């Protein structure tokens, strides 16, 4: 992790977080460039010498500077919308390294991706096969596809972020997959490239990944018998990170279990999101005031659920990092935001000595942080800054209040 305390002051790389908050204001998202680079290399190094493609799941953090950094490192991208494709291209990403996931691709998104020349569509239903075949035919193009299989494996994670069970909307049931592949192979404007799955997010064990992979490999053999050859196998993302005391396998350990199972010649595609960026990021807020109602002490920040949804949406426990380390030893407090919702909390029952005017950061905020933020309660969204050594670059301006209603308009006089 690239944040640490130095003389009791919170640092990100060689920059003091307090100085950055003074310079850019709060609420503030900070990302460490070195942490992203290290996380990428943690996947890329064990894959040296193997045919592979690391496709960063853009949904985890879609800031152009983050995408550009990953593109420069050689990453491909896993996208789920035309908007994400446009971001990847604007950030200098290579369309030939893009896989397109998602259960509801529109015709125009399909056309956009076909024209851009993406690596492959991760198709999630038979209806999508037909639709894609039609769109490709109209454009006189052939769509490269993989079929997303639902392997019915329990990822043992929060139900909102488990995706590989029968009751989830994702993929095609593994028992129905052979028929779907046969159909895909028979359609004139599709070319079958691979098979994929994504069983869930924030997994802290390797076993469900291995179980899913084995099911996909068995399917591959079945398809070979039908004369359908796959060029790649895509095992999705999902590797967990340490927020507080979780102990997920390191990328190298996870890959050490996966790689021996992959037959030579087959390209391994991965779609990590969280594992590449979560621990590169901090969300920094300033304490507006504190209050003790005799039952509980509340530390009220200028940032809350509108900037970081994970605690209230998934009961996610994220590390609380007061800018002054000594404040980790204060009274038990709930860290809450200014939004008018009971669910507007960032942490519960944490020891925290912060008082009015002090700064508090939340760790692990680089993934599913800013991207899930909103302007609820008419709060402009935070600024984003990339830190490199002692340098800092503003990579997204803080929104202005006026921008909140850009695009809105008053009713014309006559309609009143
Ligand atoms: N591939 C596909 C098809 C996905 O649906 C996802 C995440 C990923 C890759 C990347 O998964 P990761 O490596 O980041 O676990 N907002 C939630 C997480 C939702 C994940 C959705 N899909 C959270 O904050 O925990």
């Amino acid at each position: 992790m690239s944040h640490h305390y130095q003389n009791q002051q919170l640092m990100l790389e060689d920059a003091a977080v307090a100085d950055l908050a003074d310079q850019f204001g709060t609420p503030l998202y900070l990302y460490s460039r070195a942490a992203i680079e290290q996380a990428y290399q943690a996947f890329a190094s064990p894959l040296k010498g193997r045919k592979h493609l690391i496709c960063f799941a853009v949904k985890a953090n879609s800031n152009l500077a983050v995408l550009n950094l990953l593109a420069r490192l050689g990453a491909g991208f896993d996208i789920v919308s035309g908007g994400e494709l446009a971001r990847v291209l604007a950030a200098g990403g290579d369309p030939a390294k893009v896989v397109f996931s998602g259960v509801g691709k529109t015709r125009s998104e399909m056309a956009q991706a076909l024209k851009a020349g993406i690596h492959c569509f991760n198709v999630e239903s038979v209806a999508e096969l037909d639709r894609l075949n039609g769109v490709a035919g109209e454009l006189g193009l052939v769509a490269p596809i993989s079929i997303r299989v639902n392997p019915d494996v329990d990822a043992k994670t929060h139900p909102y972020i488990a995706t590989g069970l029968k009751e989830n909307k994702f993929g095609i049931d593994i028992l129905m997959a052979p028929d779907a592949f046969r159909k895909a192979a028979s359609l004139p404007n599709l070319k079958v490239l691979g098979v994929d799955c994504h069983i869930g997010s924030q997994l802290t064990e390797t076993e469900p990944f291995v179980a899913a992979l084995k099911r996909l490999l068995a399917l591959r053999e079945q398809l070979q018998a039908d004369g359908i050859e796959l060029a790649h196998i895509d095992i999705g993302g999902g590797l967990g990170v340490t927020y507080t005391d979780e102990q997920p396998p390191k990328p190298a350990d996870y890959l050490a279990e996966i790689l021996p199972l992959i037959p030579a010649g087959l390209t391994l595609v991965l779609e990590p999101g969280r594992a590449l960026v979560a621990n590169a990021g901090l969300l920094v807020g300033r304490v507006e005031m504190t209050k003790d109602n005799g039952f509980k002490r509340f530390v009220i920040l200028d940032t809350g659920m509108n900037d970081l949804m994970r605690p209230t949406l998934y009961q996610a426990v994220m590390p609380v990092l007061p800018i002054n380390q000594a404040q980790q030893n204060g009274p038990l407090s709930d860290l809450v935001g200014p939004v008018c919702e009971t669910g507007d909390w960032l942490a519960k029952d944490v020891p925290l000595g912060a008082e009015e005017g002090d700064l508090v950061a939340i760790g692990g905020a680089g993934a599913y942080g800013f991207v899930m933020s909103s302007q609820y309660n008419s709060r402009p969204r935070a600024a984003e800054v990339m830190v490199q050594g002692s340098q800092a670059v503003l990579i997204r301006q803080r929104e202005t209040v006026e921008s909140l209603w850009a695009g809105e308009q008053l009713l014309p006089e006559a309609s009143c």
Side-chain angles (χ1 to χ4, degrees):
M1 256 181 250
S2 45
H3 67 259
H4 58 278
Y5 285 99
Q6 187 175 306
N7 301 328
Q8 300 229 306
Q9 292 301 303
L10 184 66
M11 310 287 293
L12 188 62
E13 298 198 19
D14 302 325
V17 171
D19 292 346
L20 298 172
D22 285 344
Q23 186 180 347
F24 297 102
T26 55
L28 180 64
Y29 271 98
L30 298 175
Y31 309 118
S32 154
R33 175 175 180 166
I36 297 175
E37 288 172 343
Q38 278 161 20
Y40 183 79
Q41 295 308 343
F43 278 90
S45 300
L47 287 164
K48 279 208 182 90
R50 301 286 302 230
K51 287 208 275 182
H52 73 273
L53 187 57
I54 302 171
C55 293
F56 172 61
V58 173
K59 63 171 81 69
N61 188 326
S62 58
N63 184 288
L64 291 193
V66 172
L67 300 182
N68 174 256
L69 174 59
L70 286 162
R72 287 199 237 171
L73 293 169
F77 298 94
D78 166 45
I79 59 164
V80 290
S81 69
E84 287 192 349
L85 176 57
R87 277 186 177 273
V88 167
L89 298 179
D94 179 356
K97 293 184 183 174
V98 167
V99 298
F100 191 171
S101 305
V103 294
K105 301 175 190 80
T106 66
R107 285 176 210 280
S108 70
E109 284 175 324
M110 288 175 174
Q112 179 193 353
L114 280 165
K115 287 185 205 152
I118 66 164
H119 176 66
C120 140
F121 290 83
N122 288 351
V123 174
E124 304 229 14
S125 63
V126 174
E128 187 183 335
L129 286 176
D130 283 322
R131 177 180 286 196
L132 185 57
N133 182 58
V135 175
E138 282 160 24
L139 293 172
L141 296 169
V142 171
I145 67 131
S146 156
I147 289 184
R148 178 168 176 180
V149 164
N150 185 334
D152 196 24
V153 164
D154 185 358
K156 299 182 196 142
T157 185
H158 190 283
Y160 283 14
I161 49 177
T163 45
L165 283 172
K166 264 197 187 356
E167 60 257 43
N168 304 135
K169 69 177 175 181
F170 299 100
I172 293 180
D173 186 277
I174 191 138
L175 299 176
M176 295 158 96
D179 278 348
F181 271 101
R182 277 190 284 271
K183 173 166 179 143
S186 75
L187 290 172
N189 309 313
L190 301 185
K191 178 174 169 26
V192 176
L193 274 194
V195 61
D196 64 285
C197 73
H198 171 79
I199 57 173
S201 205
Q202 184 54 13
L203 271 68
T204 50
E205 291 169 33
T206 319
E207 185 262 318
F209 290 115
V210 171
L213 174 58
K214 285 187 174 160
R215 290 189 187 179
L216 262 54
L217 290 170
L219 172 64
R220 170 180 174 262
E221 281 186 16
Q222 211 179 325
L223 294 174
Q224 264 176 334
D226 278 350
I228 301 175
E229 272 301 331
L230 303 182
H232 79 233
I233 192 156
D234 174 348
I235 58 170
L239 188 63
V241 299
T242 302
Y243 286 104
T244 52
D245 50 11
E246 307 89 331
Q247 293 190 316
K250 292 191 170 38
D253 299 332
Y254 154 79
L255 289 170
E257 296 216 29
I258 299 291
L259 284 174
L261 302 174
I262 308 283
L266 201 60
T267 299
L268 175 64
V269 181
L270 301 165
E271 303 170 0
R274 189 187 317 265
L276 292 185
V277 289
N279 278 324
L282 298 173
L283 169 64
V284 189
R286 198 177 286 278
V287 179
E288 286 297 337
M289 51 198 95
T290 62
K291 75 171 174 183
D292 196 327
N293 63 11
F295 175 68
K296 241 181 193 225
R297 178 172 186 267
F298 295 96
V299 175
I300 305 165
L301 290 180
D302 62 0
T303 181
M305 66 181 279
N306 59 304
D307 289 313
L308 185 63
M309 281 277 276
R310 302 195 68 257
T312 191
L313 192 56
Y314 314 114
Q315 295 77 47
V317 179
M318 303 182 68
V320 175
L321 304 162
I323 261 56
N324 174 352
Q325 192 176 17
Q327 293 175 352
Q328 279 179 334
N329 298 318
L332 278 190
S333 310
D334 279 9
L335 189 60
V336 301
V339 173
C340 293
E341 295 262 353
T342 307
D344 181 25
W345 54 274
L346 295 174
K348 287 196 168 171
D349 292 322
V350 286
L352 185 60
E355 299 289 350
E356 180 176 339
D358 291 336
L359 292 161
V360 180
I362 305 291
Y368 306 110
F370 183 89
V371 283
M372 291 175 71
S373 68
S374 79
Q375 300 158 326
Y376 186 40
N377 280 200
S378 287
R379 307 188 68 84
R381 281 181 295 182
E384 292 177 288
V385 164
M386 182 77 76
V387 173
Q388 181 182 350
S390 56
Q391 308 291 309
V393 179
L394 181 65
I395 58 171
R396 192 181 207 274
Q397 288 177 1
R398 178 176 311 288
E399 288 180 350
T400 61
V401 169
E402 293 70 34
S403 73
L404 294 178
W405 56 78
E408 295 180 28
Q409 83 173 44
L410 303 179
L411 290 175
E413 290 292 324
S415 73
C416 300

